[in-house]
Amino acid sequence: MTDATSSIPQRLGQPVEITDETFDETVWTEEVTFIDRIPRSIAMIGLFAIFLFIWQMVHAFAIVSPIILPSPDEVGADIVKVGKNLMSGGYMLDAFWITTKEVLIGFFFAIAIGFSLGVLVGETTFGERAVLPYLVAIDTMPKVAFAPLFLAWLGFGIASKVALAAFIATFPIVVGTAAGLYAADENARMLFRSLGASRWQTLFRMKIPAGLPHIFTGLKIGAVGVMAGAITAEFLGGGKGFGELIRVAASQLQTPRVFSLIIYLSLLGFALFWTVVWVERRLVFWHQSSVTGIGDR
Amino acid sequence: MTGTAATEIRQQVAQRGRPVYQLRNVTKSYGLGKIKALDPVSVDLREGSFSSVIGPSGCGKSTLLKVMAGLTPPTSGSVVLEGDPVMGPRREIGMMFQQATLFPWLTALENVMLPITIRDGKHAAKSQQDDARELLDLVGLSGFENVYPRQLSGGMAQRAAICRMLITRPEVLLLDEPFSALDELVRDFMNMELQRICTARNATAMLITHSIPEAVFLSDTVYIMSPRPGRLTEEIRIDLPRPRNLDMMTSPEFALYVRYIRSKLDEGAQV
């Protein structure tokens, strides 16, 4: 090596010079717009303020009847009222708790059933050939239409709401899980085969971890669906949940109450969704999409 | 005393040329015999030798390697490794692919120990942690044990993949274009590393590549493969002294081998 190195000349080329000179007309640099400079939180609050302003204007000029669209301050006052009832453990808290239970139990069943079916479809030929066509067929049906059936089978209690919530949330989880199991690339499969890994090892050490981003996409869609399912079932099947409160308020033309109830209900959906995102960030820290949603990246 | 020394030497000489891998009339076709991927291939790989297969894309090189690795059965013919027929993945074999294929949820160290984790369980892997650290150290990755793959560059990832291949102390290395995704500078460095490792371990290696200089640089024997169906058409012995260094790549002998192989591949392409 040293022999050969010594035969290389000291310098073959010449150093490249650096100058300060530029051609004036050709200067082209990055532009930073005004919006780029605003921090995200300020931008969000600003947009919300504009939204409230327009809303208030619509109300002030009586463009829409106040029964249809109450003013922001009416809604604000009612939010405080409902908040007090919830805090003091009133009947609204009981309703909120019932809906929370429906949503959580529904989501639990959706995860258990959805994941199992997803593994069946994604991992076995039987699942892919025989089960998948039926799942696709059921998935294309409007699932809310099953609500009366669930009511007839399970009654007007919590069970029928749980059933519809789980029913709606199951399919995206099945799809996410099955797609996730297909996600591992050919090289990874070949590596595991070359190591003599068992089917079980391949599933748990490679396919499921590799599929977690897809699985969590399914879970996030499911978390939204489970809320929709529970509330729809409450609208149709009564009971004592939050959906019933909304239905009653709407039927009495208490529009501000409907708005404030929806806002508190959305807190539940929000909490569920962000719990899923939180778990995803812990488990799928290695993947780009684990920073979905309002990014802190 | 002299008698035992003589038998020892005799044993060593006998062992040096011992065929480790033996392929006899191995063929592979897909689609119920409609598409022939491999015409009969018969090759012996001797212990400690380094062989390369070079040929155009889609000529069946990877198929040959997969059959040798026991990842897919041949349509006919037999593959024997260390006297035993290959009927599936074998412990003696270490493999490397074009992509590093490190798993992003495992640290570099966990990735390296993966083969042991899968074969012998977590406990066994833990007991060989020091081995894994040593290997990472050897390829210049000390300090990166607990780093996740996405923080590694392409070259570093491929080096970790080398460690993963070596952790089980394989006697045979099957390499499927392992460095073709790396840039030229890193690639040269990796080839030096590979030569050093193979020599130190007396490993028998089989490399699949598109790069003629790489094949010449690393190999004792280069096989030229013609496409559709894949067939080994020529065996070229590379008589360059070992250990080889990068300066040899500009020597006239080296250039002659490269030119010869290129002309052979061009001939095949015109057919």
Side-chain angles (χ1 to χ4, degrees):
Chain A
M1 194 82 183
T2 44
D3 277 2
T5 323
S6 63
S7 70
I8 297 173
Q10 277 291 308
R11 170 154 275 167
L12 210 60
Q14 58 181 20
V16 177
E17 279 174 37
I18 300 162
T19 77
D20 293 335
E21 195 186 3
T22 53
F23 303 112
D24 284 342
E25 297 81 19
T26 63
V27 174
W28 182 54
T29 52
E30 269 182 278
E31 272 177 55
V32 182
T33 63
F34 173 67
I35 294 285
D36 288 339
R37 292 177 204 276
I38 305 175
R40 164 170 253 144
S41 49
I42 305 278
M44 283 172 69
I45 291 166
L47 186 65
F48 189 62
I50 293 168
F51 168 74
L52 281 183
F53 177 75
I54 294 172
W55 185 1
Q56 186 69 57
M57 285 301 109
V58 168
H59 185 78
F61 291 104
I63 299 169
V64 181
S65 151
I67 295 172
I68 293 172
L69 185 71
S71 72
D73 55 279
E74 273 180 284
V75 172
D78 204 75
I79 286 175
V80 174
K81 215 191 278 177
V82 173
K84 273 181 188 158
N85 189 307
L86 285 169
M87 288 300 200
S88 63
Y91 70 99
M92 286 184 187
L93 188 70
D94 294 338
F96 193 78
W97 175 232
I98 285 172
T99 303
T100 307
K101 258 200 307 205
E102 289 163 3
V103 164
L104 289 183
I105 299 172
F107 199 41
F108 171 80
F109 277 112
I111 293 173
I113 298 168
F115 185 74
S116 313
L117 280 177
V119 170
L120 185 71
V121 168
E123 178 66 13
T124 68
T125 331
F126 165 75
E128 198 205 325
R129 297 245 166 130
V131 181
L132 184 61
Y134 289 107
L135 289 176
V136 171
I138 298 172
D139 194 23
T140 53
M141 296 176 191
K143 283 174 275 301
V144 176
F146 283 77
L149 273 183
F150 288 133
L151 286 169
W153 291 339
L154 299 165
F156 289 88
I158 187 172
S160 55
K161 283 83 181 174
V162 168
L164 188 68
F167 188 56
I168 290 179
T170 298
F171 290 93
I173 300 175
V174 175
V175 173
T177 307
L181 296 187
Y182 291 125
D185 74 340
E186 190 48 42
N187 281 311
R189 288 159 199 270
M190 210 143 72
L191 179 73
F192 263 66
R193 250 187 301 150
S194 78
L195 294 174
S198 67
R199 186 177 193 169
W200 217 238
Q201 284 176 321
T202 309
L203 186 62
F204 281 100
R205 291 198 174 273
M206 185 209 19
K207 287 187 182 176
I208 290 176
L212 279 178
H214 289 274
I215 295 173
F216 271 98
T217 304
L219 287 176
K220 280 184 274 188
I221 300 171
V224 176
V226 81
M227 286 291 298
I231 296 302
T232 310
E234 283 181 351
F235 281 174
L236 294 169
K240 293 172 183 149
F242 227 57
E244 176 68 5
L245 292 187
I246 293 175
R247 197 187 61 76
V248 169
S251 69
Q252 295 169 347
L253 295 179
Q254 290 182 305
T255 326
R257 178 55 54 87
V258 174
F259 272 95
S260 61
L261 287 174
I262 288 175
I263 282 169
Y264 282 104
L265 193 60
S266 71
L267 288 182
L268 177 60
F270 212 69
L272 190 67
F273 185 84
W274 283 99
T275 307
V276 175
V277 171
W278 184 82
V279 175
E280 180 185 23
R281 283 186 187 168
R282 295 265 152 330
L283 281 179
V284 202
F285 60 90
W286 43 271
H287 194 265
Q288 288 286 328
S289 86
S290 63
V291 283
T292 44
I294 299 173
D296 45 5
R297 206 175 137 86
Chain B
M1 190 72 179
T2 46
T4 52
T7 47
E8 239 173 63
I9 290 166
R10 209 171 297 137
Q11 273 173 353
Q12 278 178 3
V13 169
Q15 267 182 359
R16 191 170 302 148
R18 185 172 65 91
V20 173
Y21 240 121
Q22 292 173 294
L23 279 76
R24 289 295 175 272
N25 286 314
V26 172
T27 69
K28 177 82 188 173
S29 45
Y30 296 105
L32 301 170
K34 280 190 193 127
I35 304 153
K36 277 188 157 185
L38 277 183
D39 244 13
V41 172
S42 296
V43 178
D44 275 2
L45 300 186
R46 302 197 168 272
E47 186 176 30
S49 71
F50 198 111
S51 317
S52 299
V53 175
I54 194 162
S57 304
C59 72
K61 303 185 298 272
S62 292
T63 305
L64 176 65
L65 205 76
K66 275 187 213 168
V67 170
M68 289 176 71
L71 294 177
T72 175
T75 304
S76 66
S78 51
V79 182
V80 171
L81 171 59
E82 300 280 11
D84 292 320
V86 174
M87 317 277 267
R90 290 272 289 268
R91 279 177 169 252
E92 297 99 314
I93 301 171
M95 282 195 90
M96 240 179 116
F97 308 103
Q98 188 174 353
Q99 265 75 41
T101 319
L102 300 179
F103 293 102
W105 54 88
L106 300 176
T107 63
L109 190 69
E110 287 165 342
N111 263 296
V112 170
M113 293 190 305
L114 183 74
I116 299 177
T117 315
I118 284 175
R119 286 177 177 171
D120 304 317
K122 264 192 178 148
H123 191 72
K126 202 149 214 173
S127 71
Q128 297 209 33
Q129 218 177 49
D130 289 339
D131 269 17
R133 281 177 199 283
E134 212 169 285
L135 278 171
L136 284 170
D137 196 31
L138 206 69
V139 298
L141 283 180
S142 50
F144 288 90
E145 291 90 349
N146 298 319
V147 158
Y148 287 92
R150 77 177 202 187
Q151 287 151 277
L152 299 176
S153 69
M156 288 158 96
Q158 207 53 286
R159 274 185 269 165
I162 293 185
C163 296
R164 182 182 57 198
M165 169 177 75
L166 294 176
I167 189 79
T168 54
R169 304 181 180 281
E171 291 146 42
V172 184
L173 309 180
L174 299 179
L175 311 157
D176 192 354
E177 301 185 37
F179 307 137
S180 62
L182 302 180
D183 68 68
E184 192 91 19
L185 295 173
V186 178
R187 192 170 182 163
D188 286 342
F189 173 79
M190 299 295 274
N191 283 334
M192 289 292 286
E193 285 287 302
L194 188 57
Q195 176 186 230
R196 189 176 58 74
I197 288 163
C198 287
T199 316
R201 303 198 163 207
N202 196 32
T204 311
M206 171 90 156
L207 170 77
I208 279 175
T209 182
H210 276 127
S211 161
I212 302 173
E214 182 176 84
V216 175
F217 178 77
L218 287 167
S219 308
D220 301 307
T221 313
V222 175
Y223 294 95
I224 293 177
M225 195 164 197
S226 74
R228 278 176 296 273
R231 187 162 16 107
L232 298 183
T233 51
E234 192 161 342
E235 170 184 346
I236 302 145
R237 297 199 161 278
I238 308 295
D239 282 319
L240 295 171
R242 287 202 185 263
R244 294 174 187 163
N245 58 50
L246 296 177
D247 284 322
M248 279 183 191
M249 293 179 92
T250 49
S251 75
E253 299 92 331
F254 193 94
L256 184 69
Y257 281 122
V258 171
R259 265 198 351 251
Y260 178 77
I261 294 169
R262 173 151 291 139
S263 73
K264 285 294 161 190
L265 286 171
D266 286 346
E267 258 173 48
Q270 274 151 19
V271 172

